[in-house]
Amino acid sequence: MSETIERQVAAEPSAARAAADGWLSAFETALSAGAIDAAAELFAETSFWRDLVTFTWNIKTVEGPAGVRDMLAAQLGATGPRGFTLSEEPAEDGGVTTAWFVFETEFARGEGVLRLKDGKAWTLLTAMTELKGFEEPSHERRPAGAEHGAAKNRKSWLEKREEEARTLGYETQPYALIVGGGQGGIALGARLRQLGVPTIIIEKNDRPGDSWRKRYKSLCLHDPVWYDHLPYIDFPKNWPVFAPKDKIGDWLEMYTKVMELNYWAKTTAKSARYDAAKGEWEVVVDRDGEEVTLRPRQLIMATGMSGKANMPKFKGMERFRGEQQHSSQHPGPDAYKDRKVVVIGSNNSAHDICAALWEAGADVTMVQRSTTHIVRSDPLMEHGLGALYSEQAVASGITTHKADMIFASLPYRILHEFQIPIYDKIREVDADFYRDLEKAGFQLDFGADESGLFMKYLRRGSGYYIDVGASQLIIDGKIKLKAGQVEEITETGVKLDDGTELPADLIVYATGYGSMNGWAADLISQEVADKVGKVWGLGSDTPKDPGPWEGEQRNMWKPTRVDNLWFHGGNLHQSRHYSLYLALQIKARKEGIPTPVYGLQEVHHLGR
């Protein structure tokens, strides 16, 4: 073959590139012409377009050509999408072409992931990355820092920071107020800081990170380090795979300082009301004994989906002679050596607390009231997370951001189909482990459709344990296990529905947490909480996630039915990833950018 022919062959695009280029070109042509039907016809009959703010000013998934048509009819005229360009070489695997691309709209720049089957879109993700004219001051736009030259009465960086801390909330008002200074509030605060949105974070604890430090002694992250980075600053290369709670607390405290966040510790929100005439909230807070009234435009509840304790109301609780506490209040095991402890619950916190109590010498019994999904940490890391969040993934070019985008590009409607084979494999490799657990009397499940941990988390936020050692204690009988329902609490213990009475000096209620709109009920009103509706869940019509199908996390990181009221939270991965999209929505409103919302959250459940 001649050198000329070789160059021509090398220059020819791959079939995957030709297919992706062709689809993006046809899509852009249709959008530019306002040909909504033509754009919709580019999607397969079974297809999913997930948009993170760019087209919908919402977090929304539409399904099939009809869903695409409806969304574009409402939004295309105000969006102005263009410049759809491949950002890397597409790939084809098993009849599916995957392509990464960038694009822009009238007001923003975005990125996306396209999957094609038989020439038509099967899945499409579009995600906003930045607002035009309001880009973050990073990389080539980073601030100079030092001000060269000379000027009289010039203020140093420290003097400017001290002035801001002294005046914000008093002489000037924040545009955004974040209630809750845990990982979610801190991540969002960092995003808003970089976007130039004056923000105050309020936190009831004494120091940033105390929401971790003050939990039970053995608490640690069950997710690996590659999954848990915060925005802008990754954990160091020598950071442990599973970080202990106090180490996470220290990291959050350092991060809050380094990222220059306006963080009000020892501060509790007492009341809030929205003044529609002024378009602002009036929030009364107690700042270390001083009552301060703040008037932000945007109010964000970042109090955590694992924040509002669900304390059960069992008959006879008031007559128990020993100690009773919710798992969130459990101080750790040290005071309970040689004491009898009953832990009601069988999910993550229950297992962690039981294991720590056993280590400290307590006589501990776990009461299992419903089936629980168990997965050991090692196979979960290998089969469940390894392809996206691991040292091997990093070495193969999967950055945390790319992993986040891949995960986000799989629509919730079909995500379980990708999860089922993972847990089938885990069940196979850990067959002996599961057999031994069942022999010990533990009641197992793998989710309503056998799809395992992640779907349980997304649907209900509970019902599972990532095993880091407690399961073997149950198998060995070192943690006693009793299945059944609580009939009543007696003076001396817990009576179950089969008549068994478990004596106890301490009862720990590892009974989970309520919907996040409960925080809105406490701070604002029950009427506002009901107007928002249930927070979290997909509408999968599985246990604790009632239908109808909604396709996205209810009321999280997006507009709610209450003007200028937002909810933010989730695990470290979600706090990192979705804080960007929430921050961009808030920044757009601050700058007066039109934000017509498509598919505002319906209210089907009050979440009480």
Side-chain angles (χ1 to χ4, degrees), residues 199-218:
T199 302
I200 291 175
I201 304 167
I202 64 171
E203 168 59 40
K204 65 182 179 181
N205 285 311
D206 292 351
R207 297 160 56 199
D210 275 354
S211 55
W212 283 86
R213 292 189 193 93
K214 291 187 175 183
R215 296 293 301 278
Y216 53 87
K217 181 178 177 180
S218 61

Side-chain angles (χ1 to χ4, degrees), residues 216 218 327 330 343 348-358 364 508 510:
Y216 53 87
S218 61
S327 58
H330 180 62
V343 177
N348 260 334
S349 294
H351 279 82
D352 284 347
I353 290 169
C354 283
L357 285 163
W358 176 84
V364 59
V508 179

Side-chain angles (χ1 to χ4, degrees), residues 15-25 27 42-44 46-47 86 90-99 101 113-124:
R17 187 177 189 91
D21 259 336
W23 191 93
L24 289 172
S25 177
F27 188 54
L42 294 169
F43 288 77
T46 299
S47 57
L86 291 172
E92 191 277 334
D93 183 30
V96 177
T97 297
T98 301
F101 62 92
V113 183
L114 167 69
R115 293 186 184 90
L116 297 174
K117 277 186 179 180
D118 300 322
K120 291 200 171 187
W122 173 41
T123 72
L124 176 65

Side-chain angles (χ1 to χ4, degrees), residues 1-186:
M1 186 182 290
S2 70
E3 184 178 338
T4 301
I5 294 175
E6 286 178 350
R7 284 201 302 268
Q8 288 174 341
V9 171
E12 289 179 4
S14 66
R17 187 177 189 91
D21 259 336
W23 191 93
L24 289 172
S25 177
F27 188 54
E28 182 170 349
T29 298
L31 295 180
S32 297
I36 292 172
D37 287 340
E41 287 169 7
L42 294 169
F43 288 77
E45 195 58 36
T46 299
S47 57
F48 311 89
W49 180 355
R50 188 174 194 222
D51 182 60
L52 306 180
V53 185
T54 52
F55 281 74
T56 59
W57 289 103
N58 199 351
I59 295 177
K60 182 72 177 175
T61 298
V62 296
E63 300 186 10
V68 171
R69 192 176 293 112
D70 187 76
M71 187 271 278
L72 288 177
Q75 301 296 105
L76 181 58
T79 303
R82 54 192 178 271
F84 289 83
T85 306
L86 291 172
S87 54
E88 62 180 69
E89 188 65 26
E92 191 277 334
D93 183 30
V96 177
T97 297
T98 301
W100 294 73
F101 62 92
V102 294
F103 68 103
E104 60 182 282
T105 68
E106 194 67 30
F107 299 105
R109 297 180 187 91
E111 59 185 331
V113 183
L114 167 69
R115 293 186 184 90
L116 297 174
K117 277 186 179 180
D118 300 322
K120 291 200 171 187
W122 173 41
T123 72
L124 176 65
L125 172 70
T126 48
M128 188 179 290
T129 56
E130 61 186 6
L131 293 165
K132 292 179 179 178
F134 304 103
E135 296 84 358
E136 292 187 4
S138 63
H139 298 90
E140 69 279 0
R141 294 187 297 269
R142 70 172 70 225
E147 298 178 12
H148 300 299
K152 290 188 175 183
N153 301 315
R154 182 169 56 178
K155 292 181 179 178
S156 68
W157 170 85
L158 179 59
E159 289 170 328
K160 291 176 183 177
R161 280 291 294 135
E162 289 175 339
E163 180 180 27
E164 180 184 27
R166 185 180 66 255
T167 59
L168 187 62
Y170 297 93
E171 298 172 24
T172 61
Q173 287 298 315
Y175 182 78
L177 175 65
I178 301 173
V179 179
Q183 65 209 32
I186 287 171

